[in-house]
Amino acid sequence: MNSLAAKVAVVGSGISGAVCASTLARNGFAVTLFESGRGPGGRMSQRRETAEDGKELVFDHGAPFFSVTNAEVLDLVSGWEARGLVTEWKDKFGVFDRLSNKFVDSETGVQGKRYVGVPGMNSVCKALCNEPGVDSKFGVGVGKMEWLNDENSWMLIGYDGSSLGQFSGVVASDKNLASPRLGQPPPLDTNLVPELALGLRDIPVNPCFALMLAFSESLQSIPVKGFSIKNSEILSWAHCDSSKPGRSTSPERWVLHSTADYARKIIAQTGLAKPSSSTLAKVAEELYKEFESTGLNIPKPFFTKAHRWGSAFPAVSIARDETCLFDKQKRVAVCGDFCVSPSVEGAILSGCAAASKLVKMCSSL
């Protein structure tokens, strides 16, 4: 490979982008990873908050855990486990019926082990984004992708108009790369990548609100550490975040997830702009009230904060057979859980597939 052929940009540092970047780097590519947020993780991010007394509180407010059935992914996860990046969460889980206000099952139907990152769900993404050959740039968003026809390469431009570099290939693990942003045209003009245009036209998503709670006392009346909730219009999931391996157990911290229908109702009322503090306060109050109404003797928390996941949970799989989208003429790959399945495992598989496509294509340049 010549020097340009070895340069690839990866946009987004969720688990799909992080796995892709790491895989490309191990295959000899010089990878620049761009992430508009402050750190890696995407839906596997870890949230740090400060209570009124100054105590730091840490929450996995996105994916609570992940499971693996695919042999290729299991091999990767086994390597992460050997490095101490993930471990099994062995606590009991259940299903709670909101109609009867009783636990009706001791499991949630998950096959295999439940893995969590250590000390946070973002530990794997952090490690992969810092591997040799990966130059991670956080707080840097891609505002535009320009195709340089004479040079057969891509020029990436930041939100502020500055040049981010020239690359032979691009991997987008952000499904919104082809979507307008706050009235601005999308970074990627899909007319340049016709093989991707149809798949990226519309990707329906399921929004969700997460509520982070901290308690001065243990919730001893709850016999499990994580449970799905059925027959509730407001809540879909609850877990004790402080019970996970590698976490501080005090104070006791819980995370609740809303139903998609509830989140859609709030978004319909308030719009897609960043939710106001009053909107988040209302959501926090309603989610906690539903939790309290389970009859599980829930005490008053000393910390509550809501977060909106506006488009993090895909409702469809747009590339199930191929596991990623790829335009071979322009060397652009699109990967993420929305390509395979709405899960961490699906995101990993898609990231691996995107890396494989570029390795095969760019090695011939």
Side-chain angles (χ1 to χ4, degrees), residues 64-66 85-87 89 114-118 121 244-245 247:
F65 63 86
F66 67 95
L85 299 175
V86 302
T87 192
W89 188 13
R114 294 177 177 85
Y115 291 98
V116 297
V118 179
M121 286 298 289
K244 294 179 181 179
R247 274 73 169 171

Side-chain angles (χ1 to χ4, degrees), residues 143-304:
K144 189 176 182 181
M145 291 173 55
E146 288 188 352
W147 175 250
L148 307 178
N149 199 54
D150 292 343
E151 301 186 47
N152 195 31
S153 63
W154 289 96
M155 176 68 75
L156 268 58
I157 299 171
Y159 290 139
D160 60 358
S162 63
S163 172
L164 301 178
Q166 190 174 341
F167 304 90
S168 63
V170 178
V171 178
S173 62
D174 179 356
K175 58 182 174 292
N176 294 320
L177 201 68
S179 303
R181 300 182 180 184
L182 299 176
Q184 299 297 316
L188 174 62
D189 180 358
T190 53
N191 291 320
L192 296 172
V193 285
E195 293 187 38
L196 307 186
L198 184 61
L200 290 174
R201 183 182 301 169
D202 286 303
I203 304 175
V205 296
N206 290 320
C208 174
F209 281 95
L211 178 61
M212 297 164 278
L213 302 169
F215 298 89
S216 299
E217 55 189 290
S218 175
L219 278 62
Q220 297 181 356
S221 61
I222 301 180
V224 295
K225 297 304 183 183
F227 57 96
S228 58
I229 303 166
K230 67 178 187 177
N231 295 318
S232 171
E233 296 181 357
I234 298 176
L235 286 180
S236 65
W237 171 260
H239 75 267
C240 180
D241 209 49
S242 53
S243 72
K244 294 179 181 179
R247 274 73 169 171
S248 169
T249 58
S250 179
E252 186 158 310
R253 303 177 303 284
W254 283 74
V255 176
L256 314 180
H257 285 177
S258 77
T259 63
D261 285 344
Y262 171 84
R264 275 191 286 265
K265 182 186 74 172
I266 298 297
I267 291 172
Q269 296 170 355
T270 62
L272 284 171
K274 182 178 179 179
S276 65
S277 57
S278 60
T279 294
L280 291 177
K282 175 189 175 184
V283 168
E285 180 181 358
E286 291 180 347
L287 294 186
Y288 172 73
K289 184 177 179 180
E290 179 71 358
F291 192 39
E292 188 180 40
S293 298
T294 58
L296 293 171
N297 296 321
I298 309 298
K300 291 290 184 183
F302 68 83
F303 176 86
T304 64

